[in-house]
Amino acid sequence: MITCFIRYEIDPFRKDAFAEYARNWGQAIPRNGADLIGYFGPHEGSATTAYGVYNIESLAAYEAYRARLTADPLGRENYEFARRERFILKEDRIFLKNVSVPHAKLVLP
């Protein structure tokens, strides 16, 4: 299993548009084969940094997933929404593997 981290630089005056974009992916990503952890928008600190995070089995599975996502009606619509509205200024994608598993149990103070 690998995790895809997408770092977005967004227009700080278009956070609502990014939130709509994120909600759309919340529907399209899982139904096309990736385990969505979530989309995270600015709250405190930077007003321009946001993330999308999901798990996928492998890079080969990622390629097949991307093809399905591109063919999905909501996926196509969401790509077009971002292109048309231009609220994403920059997007970087990296794939990482969780190397700290297993984790200890959470201990609350």
Side-chain angles (χ1 to χ4, degrees), residues 6-106:
I6 308 168
R7 181 184 180 278
Y8 296 94
E9 181 181 332
I10 63 171
D11 181 333
F13 301 104
R14 305 293 315 278
K15 290 188 280 188
D16 289 344
F18 181 80
E20 180 179 343
Y21 175 79
R23 285 189 300 274
N24 290 338
W25 285 137
Q27 300 302 308
I29 287 173
R31 77 173 177 226
N32 282 285
D35 174 24
L36 181 64
I37 295 168
Y39 270 74
F40 302 86
H43 176 70
E44 185 67 31
S46 172
T48 61
T49 302
Y51 291 91
V53 184
Y54 59 88
N55 293 314
I56 193 127
E57 187 177 318
S58 64
L59 288 176
Y62 169 76
E63 293 300 329
Y65 152 79
R66 286 295 297 238
R68 288 189 303 273
L69 196 61
T70 301
D72 182 271
L74 182 56
R76 282 194 316 271
E77 193 176 296
N78 216 29
Y79 285 129
E80 177 57 28
F81 172 59
R83 188 198 64 72
R84 182 181 64 248
E85 297 297 323
R86 299 179 178 264
F87 52 87
I88 298 173
L89 308 176
K90 185 177 178 185
E91 179 179 329
D92 295 308
R93 184 175 277 104
I94 187 170
F95 295 89
L96 302 173
K97 185 172 182 151
N98 187 342
V99 296
S100 68
V101 175
H103 298 249
K105 291 189 183 226
L106 174 65

